[in-house]
Amino acid sequence: MVDYHAANNQSLYSAGGQQIYMEQENDWDRDLLLDPAWEKQQRKTFTAWCNSHLRKSGTQIDNIEEDFRDGLKLMLLLEVISGERLPKPERGKMRVHKINNVNKALDFIASKGVKLVSIGAEEIVDGNAKMTLGMIWTIILRFAIQDISVEETSAKEGLLLWCQRKTAPYKNVNVQNFHISWKDGLAFNALIHRHRPELIDYDKLRKDDPVTNLNNAFEVAERYLDIPKMLDAEDIVGTLRPDEKAIMTYVSCFYHAFSGAQKAETAANRICKVLAVNQENEHLMEDYEKLASDLLEWIRRTIPWLENRAPEKTMTEMQQKLEDFRDYRRVHKPPKVQEKCQLEINFNTLQTKLRLSNRPAFMPSEGRMVSDINGAWHKLEGAEKGYEEWLLNEIRRLERLDHLAEKFRQKAAIHESWTDGKEAMLTQKDYETASLSEIKALLKKHEAFESDLAAHQDRVEQIAAIAQELNELDYYDSPSVNARCQKICEQWDALGSLTQSRRESLERTEKQLESIDELYLEYAKRAAPFNNWMEGAMEDLQDMFIVHNIEEIQGLITAHDQFKSTLPEANKERESIQAIHAEVQKIAQYNGIKLAGNNPYTTITPQTIDKKWEKVQQLVPQRDQALQEELARQQSNDHLRRQFANQANMIGPWIQNKMEEIGRISIEMNGTLEDQLTHLRQYEQSIIEYKPNIDQLEGDHQLIQEALIFDNKYTAYTMEHLRVGWEQLLTTIARTINEIENQILTRDAKGISQEQLHEYRTSFNHFDKDHSGVLQAEEFKACLISLGYDVENDKQKRTGIMDSDDFRALLISTGNSLGDAEFGRIMGIVDPNNSGAVTFQAFIDFMSRETTDTDTADQVIASFKILAGDKNYITAEELRRELPPDQAEYCIARMAPYTGPDAVPGALDYMSFSTALYGESDL
């Protein structure tokens, strides 16, 4: 039989020539092999180590060489520490039964790759202390120390290296071995303080008080770390060289206690990282939902206002509506344009972050998709355009209504002035007592009146026509206009009836009237139309006019000039009429006739004619001035048109050119992504610096609107068109910058090199034949093959860009290795919405997604399992102990109760929580 200590000098190997468990290191060890102090330390340490495991099965040992003799507790110990079932033990009391049980235990140890040199069942059954201790040491090596390895070291070296690293920062501690380095107790205290600083006040420990140091470490370990006391302080201090195996056994318990905590810490860190990403993404989602809701609410409130077509009654009220609309355009809408652009950028950034963290894509709540917002915005702009057109049409309508109403009032006043007293005149009975000459005079006078009445027929028809037009244009004061028009028409009908009745009365006595003054009659006949002409001329000269361009005012000026050219001829007619009256006076004076009064055939006196002629002469220069002032205003308006057109004709092409340049830049993308981002931001700044030109154009446009200018023949650009172009330009450059920022996020998260990105971009652009910024399905397939995706043949190596012939040849040579099923799977990844097109962002996401080290649902589940102590559920208490407070409460609020067969009250299901984080497909 070989001595146990001699056996310990040999190297112990695992089955198949695996790593050395433990190698004794120097002659000093052999010199002290029979040291009784070592045996005492081993007995205490090994016993405590065995009991730390046996107590899990509700038992323990008191004497290490006696209590393992029947093999029962030995087999139980191996089952506890291995987690495996051994063969059923024999319950007999005979020696053979005990030997069989011990052999079963030794066979199990050997099955774990351990060579048991010179350790037989008989020695264990006989209670051989050295053999029993050697066997327990072998078990400790295999099950407690063998798996300890730091930087590819052996078990012993790994454990020593771990101790050195953990205690390196502490003064008076220098761990070089597993015997003398631990005698003063500081190393034990340092290990505890490094991992649980709240348990040890290291600064109060003294190197010259080793017993106190050791007892402090042993008591703290037993009380707070569940490590039983395996050593006696006095034995360690009183021994020249403490037993290495006892120290290693005890220190290994610290390693397992703290390494378990380290695993829990690692698991907790992983969970915290995942939760932080999820919390940030949820915050971004909440921000998006709020911003989208606010923007949609603003649109919802604004559209009814823009769709309201209830007209106002007066020009002032409509102009106030137009001013409110301009405030909306200048003040209220621009911030919302920025919000809409920022919302799209935030949405794209959020989706990128979700892709990079293997999270499901964000689906906004119903009605808040970017497409919903774009649809609402499109509806808003449609309502806005229709509202502006309606406002301008209403202002034109009210302007015409005011003009027509004033014209109605003027003509009605003139007519009413003319008809004043006419009914009384037509109803008088003067002819009953008049002489024949007086009757004939009355008849002639009546004929002149009828001529005058007929001359006023046109004015009455004009008054009725204007009233009708005011009704058709929905003039707000139509009732009073209609009432006045009705009164005029009824009065006109009455005058017609009265005129006819008086004529009949006068004609009945006409035969009695023979003495008629021909000159008076001639005067009356010529004075009446001339008087009407002058009244018409005065009315025309005072008539209001409204024009919208130079051509119209020039037409009025031309007509006025033509009128002025007729004045000399009219003056001759006036002089002729006045000559008739003068002739009457001459004859009467010559013949000594005393005239009874004014011309009996007309009320138009020479003084009236001269007075009206003088009025006409005064109105002509006034009309000249009014027309010239309007000409100056139209010339000013024309200047405003040209001023606006000159700016618009420069800004319109400038915006179009910038849009094309941005499209070209987004395709070419020279230099690194950072260079591209810097270049685009500089380009964006140059566009922003152009904003004063837009503002100046807005000012010119406001001047045009204030001048009520509704057309501009000098430009095809409208302010609305340029506003939309400017907003699209700002949005396009912002989206392009956001795409580069997302590519940087993808590159950094996925570890893509600049060369790879350049190659991806070059290939993408090559197959993007129409420069649309997306690849159709066949173009995408060609691009993948050109980059060497799923190509195994030597001829199918990545060779850069291919033209269409090369691509066709490659498909033939590979047999189209990118099959329909595989390509369909890829299209489902890069185009989940089945749009048939692939963006560059989706393209680079796909090219890099399978090579990136990302957290997966399995990893998160494994981390929770560690924190839960290998249970299928976790408790709120465990979460609060292992995670920061906010993240612990975050998990508790979202985890469903665990309902498995081993559930306990308060158990939480971390599996369903992980499923919710990553989506079912990732599990």
Side-chain angles (χ1 to χ4, degrees):
M1 194 66 63
V2 179
D3 185 76
Y4 159 68
H5 290 288
N8 280 343
N9 285 331
Q10 302 180 25
S11 297
L12 301 177
Y13 295 89
S14 63
Q18 296 178 5
Q19 180 179 327
I20 298 174
Y21 291 162
M22 183 63 62
E23 184 175 343
Q24 307 299 339
E25 58 220 38
N26 51 39
D27 294 336
W28 192 13
D29 182 45
R30 287 192 293 272
D31 292 341
L32 299 178
L33 283 177
L34 302 179
D35 188 341
W38 279 20
E39 185 174 329
K40 178 182 177 182
Q41 291 174 7
Q42 289 184 14
R43 280 177 182 275
K44 181 176 180 61
T45 302
F46 292 177
T47 299
W49 184 87
C50 292
N51 284 335
S52 70
H53 295 286
L54 286 172
R55 68 185 179 186
K56 298 176 184 176
S57 296
T59 187
Q60 65 177 21
I61 62 172
D62 298 316
N63 187 305
I64 197 167
E65 65 266 28
E66 289 296 328
D67 293 346
F68 285 141
R69 289 180 63 184
D70 60 4
L72 295 177
K73 289 187 177 180
L74 179 60
M75 294 178 70
L76 180 60
L77 174 66
L78 290 172
E79 286 185 344
V80 171
I81 62 178
S82 69
E84 300 179 25
R85 298 289 296 177
L86 271 70
K88 185 175 181 181
E90 299 180 10
R91 295 296 179 178
K93 301 296 184 179
M94 298 177 62
R95 177 179 174 82
V96 64
H97 297 142
K98 297 178 181 180
I99 290 175
N100 288 341
N101 286 340
V102 173
N103 274 327
K104 290 177 181 180
L106 296 179
D107 290 342
F108 179 78
I109 296 171
S111 71
K112 298 302 178 182
V114 180
K115 281 190 176 183
L116 297 171
V117 181
S118 301
I119 297 178
E122 291 80 0
E123 287 84 354
I124 306 301
V125 172
D126 291 339
N128 187 314
K130 289 183 174 60
M131 289 299 175
T132 301
L133 292 174
M135 178 189 66
I136 297 302
W137 173 242
T138 301
I139 292 172
I140 292 172
L141 280 175
R142 173 59 183 83
F143 292 102
I145 300 178
Q146 174 186 341
D147 294 334
I148 299 175
S149 178
V150 180
E151 295 184 355
E152 304 300 327
T153 60
S154 66
K156 176 181 177 181
E157 292 168 346
L159 183 60
L160 184 63
L161 181 57
W162 178 79
C163 294
Q164 289 172 341
R165 289 184 174 177
K166 295 299 181 181
T167 61
Y170 294 87
K171 63 181 180 179
N172 298 324
V173 177
N174 183 17
V175 177
Q176 298 296 325
N177 50 53
F178 286 109
H179 37 79
I180 296 176
S181 297
W182 304 82
K183 285 190 67 173
D184 59 11
L186 292 178
F188 288 111
N189 283 278
L191 275 181
I192 297 173
H193 185 269
R194 180 64 180 272
H195 295 90
R196 298 286 299 277
E198 75 279 7
L199 301 179
I200 299 288
D201 189 352
Y202 187 82
D203 293 335
K204 290 186 177 180
L205 302 177
R206 302 198 330 267
K207 188 173 179 63
D208 59 357
D209 191 2
V211 174
T212 299
N213 297 341
L214 289 166
N215 283 329
N216 182 67
F218 297 162
E219 290 169 3
V220 168
E222 187 171 36
R223 181 176 180 182
Y224 297 104
L225 303 180
D226 198 27
I227 299 175
K229 187 176 179 181
M230 299 183 182
L231 299 169
D232 286 325
E234 291 76 12
D235 292 342
I236 294 176
V237 174
T239 303
L240 180 64
R241 178 175 182 252
D243 180 57
E244 186 177 59
K245 299 179 181 59
I247 299 293
M248 283 183 63
T249 300
Y250 190 42
V251 171
S252 71
C253 293
F254 284 87
Y255 173 85
H256 289 294
F258 293 136
S259 65
Q262 184 66 35
K263 290 179 181 178
E265 181 181 352
T266 301
N269 288 339
R270 179 184 294 276
I271 292 171
C272 287
K273 174 185 173 185
V274 172
L275 294 179
V277 170
N278 221 55
Q279 287 172 304
E280 180 185 2
N281 290 341
E282 285 188 3
H283 179 67
L284 291 174
M285 293 175 191
E286 291 170 0
D287 287 348
Y288 173 87
E289 291 280 352
K290 183 178 185 308
L291 188 57
S293 297
D294 292 346
L295 184 57
L296 287 170
E297 175 61 20
W298 178 82
I299 294 173
R300 185 191 66 77
R301 293 195 313 268
T302 304
I303 286 178
W305 174 67
L306 293 173
E307 290 179 341
N308 180 14
R309 300 296 189 270
E312 301 296 341
K313 294 181 178 180
T314 66
M315 175 73 78
T316 302
E317 291 172 322
M318 285 305 298
Q319 286 177 334
Q320 182 58 48
K321 276 197 170 186
L322 181 60
E323 187 60 33
D324 292 342
F325 181 69
R326 288 172 182 156
D327 285 342
Y328 157 78
R329 274 273 180 76
R330 292 193 305 264
V331 179
H332 301 293
K333 184 183 177 185
K336 298 304 177 183
V337 173
Q338 294 299 321
E339 286 182 20
K340 177 177 176 292
C341 179
Q342 190 62 45
L343 191 69
E344 294 182 8
I345 290 174
N346 291 352
F347 180 82
N348 293 335
T349 301
L350 173 59
Q351 298 293 41
T352 298
K353 289 186 175 182
L354 290 172
R355 286 196 302 271
L356 297 179
S357 56
N358 274 354
R359 300 306 194 272
F362 169 53
M363 290 295 294
S365 56
E366 185 176 357
R368 293 181 177 86
M369 296 287 289
V370 172
S371 59
D372 297 324
I373 294 170
N374 287 334
W377 189 265
H378 181 71
K379 185 178 179 182
L380 172 75
E381 291 186 332
E384 179 182 313
K385 185 175 186 300
Y387 187 65
E388 184 177 31
E389 292 175 355
W390 175 77
L391 281 175
L392 295 176
N393 288 334
E394 275 299 302
I395 289 174
R396 292 190 191 101
R397 185 181 70 83
L398 288 176
E399 183 183 41
R400 175 162 178 75
L401 281 175
D402 287 347
H403 172 69
L404 286 174
E406 182 61 27
K407 191 171 184 177
F408 174 84
R409 286 189 286 271
Q410 285 185 358
K411 287 186 178 294
I414 293 171
H415 178 76
E416 289 166 348
S417 175
W418 177 83
T419 58
D420 186 31
K422 294 294 188 295
E423 288 187 14
M425 179 194 74
L426 291 173
T427 56
Q428 64 183 342
K429 303 297 183 179
D430 53 347
Y431 56 85
E432 292 180 353
T433 59
S435 63
L436 182 62
S437 60
E438 290 174 336
I439 291 299
K440 287 200 175 283
L442 287 175
L443 184 60
K444 295 299 181 182
K445 181 180 179 181
H446 189 69
E447 289 177 356
F449 173 75
E450 285 181 327
S451 176
D452 195 13
L453 185 68
H456 280 79
Q457 177 69 33
D458 288 343
R459 181 178 292 116
V460 174
E461 292 175 354
Q462 289 175 7
I463 290 172
I466 293 172
Q468 179 63 28
E469 188 171 0
L470 287 172
N471 278 296
E472 291 173 354
L473 293 176
D474 195 22
Y475 181 53
Y476 77 95
D477 200 20
S478 289
S480 64
V481 169
N482 292 335
R484 192 171 183 181
C485 180
Q486 181 67 24
K487 183 178 179 182
I488 290 172
C489 291
E490 290 174 354
Q491 187 184 43
W492 182 257
D493 292 340
L495 287 176
S497 297
L498 292 173
T499 301
Q500 180 65 25
S501 177
R502 185 172 176 82
R503 166 173 277 281
E504 290 173 355
S505 298
L506 291 174
E507 286 179 347
R508 282 194 302 268
T509 59
E510 182 179 13
K511 294 178 181 180
Q512 303 170 16
L513 302 177
E514 295 178 353
S515 181
I516 301 300
D517 190 343
E518 294 295 338
L519 289 176
Y520 271 165
L521 184 59
E522 179 68 17
Y523 173 89
K525 288 182 177 180
R526 294 182 64 177
F530 184 72
N531 182 67
N532 285 335
W533 176 86
M534 287 192 297
E535 288 180 348
M538 287 189 292
E539 184 178 346
D540 291 340
L541 289 171
Q542 297 178 88
D543 190 18
M544 295 176 63
F545 57 84
I546 179 171
V547 296
H548 297 94
N549 53 55
I550 292 177
E551 290 76 10
E552 291 179 1
I553 188 61
Q554 287 176 339
L556 290 179
I557 291 173
T558 300
H560 183 60
D561 290 340
Q562 291 174 351
F563 167 75
K564 288 193 295 183
S565 68
T566 65
L567 290 178
E569 189 65 27
N571 190 40
K572 289 180 181 180
E573 176 66 12
R574 181 186 66 84
E575 291 174 348
S576 296
I577 293 172
Q578 296 294 52
I580 293 173
H581 180 73
E583 184 67 17
V584 170
Q585 297 297 326
K586 182 180 179 181
I587 293 172
Q589 185 178 8
Y590 179 78
N591 293 298
I593 299 173
K594 185 177 180 180
L595 297 176
N598 294 329
N599 191 327
Y601 306 116
T602 181
T603 59
I604 302 171
T605 66
Q607 293 78 16
T608 300
I609 292 176
D610 286 341
K611 184 177 180 180
K612 290 184 178 180
W613 178 256
E614 182 180 352
K615 181 65 175 177
V616 169
Q617 295 295 102
Q618 292 173 353
L619 290 175
V620 168
Q622 293 177 7
R623 183 74 168 184
D624 281 332
Q625 182 179 354
L627 291 173
Q628 289 302 318
E629 288 175 354
E630 180 61 25
L631 176 61
R633 189 174 78 85
Q634 290 301 325
Q635 288 173 337
S636 174
N637 288 352
D638 204 55
H639 172 72
L640 291 177
R641 289 187 182 94
R642 291 178 184 272
Q643 180 175 299
F644 176 84
N646 291 337
Q647 281 289 100
N649 290 337
M650 290 190 296
I651 290 175
W654 182 88
I655 291 176
Q656 181 62 32
N657 181 54
K658 292 300 179 183
M659 290 289 289
E660 293 173 357
E661 287 184 7
I662 292 172
R664 185 170 62 256
I665 291 172
S666 64
I667 292 175
E668 294 174 353
M669 291 300 180
N670 296 320
T672 66
L673 290 178
E674 284 75 10
D675 293 340
Q676 296 170 22
L677 187 59
T678 299
H679 178 59
L680 283 172
R681 284 175 174 162
Q682 292 171 348
Y683 198 81
E684 181 185 39
Q685 185 59 36
S686 70
I687 291 174
I688 293 173
E689 290 172 356
Y690 196 77
K691 181 64 163 56
N693 294 295
I694 304 297
D695 295 338
Q696 180 183 347
L697 192 64
E698 285 281 8
D700 294 343
H701 180 250
Q702 184 166 347
L703 292 176
I704 283 179
Q705 287 191 319
E706 290 172 353
L708 297 179
I709 299 172
F710 305 114
D711 59 344
N712 194 335
K713 63 182 180 181
Y714 302 113
T715 180
Y717 294 102
T718 65
M719 194 66 235
E720 174 65 25
H721 177 250
L722 295 175
R723 283 194 201 104
V724 172
W726 175 251
E727 291 170 4
Q728 288 177 345
L729 179 61
L730 292 177
T731 301
T732 300
I733 186 65
R735 285 175 178 165
T736 305
I737 289 174
N738 182 244
E739 287 177 2
I740 298 301
E741 291 173 338
N742 285 341
Q743 289 178 31
I744 291 175
L745 282 174
T746 303
R747 180 199 66 191
D748 294 342
K750 302 288 188 178
I752 306 173
S753 68
Q754 187 64 41
E755 291 74 15
Q756 285 178 303
L757 276 177
H758 179 72
E759 183 179 9
Y760 293 160
R761 170 54 78 181
T762 302
S763 297
F764 189 91
N765 289 346
H766 176 76
F767 289 99
D768 182 15
K769 302 296 185 183
D770 58 356
H771 304 298
S772 62
V774 296
L775 297 181
Q776 301 304 314
E778 289 303 316
E779 293 175 333
F780 174 59
K781 187 172 185 179
C783 185
L784 285 182
I785 296 178
S786 76
L787 289 168
Y789 186 87
D790 194 24
V791 180
E792 300 173 354
N793 194 299
D794 288 343
K795 294 181 180 180
Q796 302 165 13
K797 298 299 183 183
R798 188 177 299 180
T799 57
I801 304 303
M802 299 182 294
D803 60 21
S804 58
D805 292 335
D806 294 334
F807 172 54
R808 190 178 298 108
L810 178 60
L811 288 178
I812 295 172
S813 68
T814 60
N816 194 8
S817 63
L818 197 59
D820 292 339
E822 172 65 8
F823 185 66
R825 182 190 69 83
I826 295 173
M827 284 298 295
I829 295 172
V830 298
D831 182 24
N833 296 324
N834 295 322
S835 65
V838 182
T839 65
F840 182 66
Q841 184 63 45
F843 173 64
I844 61 174
D845 281 346
F846 169 75
M847 293 304 296
S848 58
R849 61 178 306 196
E850 297 182 358
T851 61
T852 304
D853 182 20
T854 57
D855 293 316
T856 64
D858 287 338
Q859 291 173 324
V860 174
I861 291 172
S863 297
F864 275 118
K865 198 173 186 69
I866 291 173
L867 299 187
D870 209 35
K871 301 190 298 294
N872 291 326
Y873 60 84
I874 193 166
T875 66
E877 180 182 355
E878 289 170 330
L879 287 170
R880 292 189 177 104
R881 184 178 69 242
E882 300 293 347
L883 299 179
D886 61 329
Q887 295 187 332
E889 298 306 323
Y890 177 85
C891 292
I892 293 169
R894 287 162 175 76
M895 283 187 181
Y898 177 72
T899 58
D902 55 340
V904 299
L908 300 173
D909 187 355
Y910 57 78
M911 175 71 78
S912 63
F913 178 68
S914 301
T915 301
L917 286 178
Y918 287 88
E920 293 285 355
S921 61
D922 240 15
L923 297 178

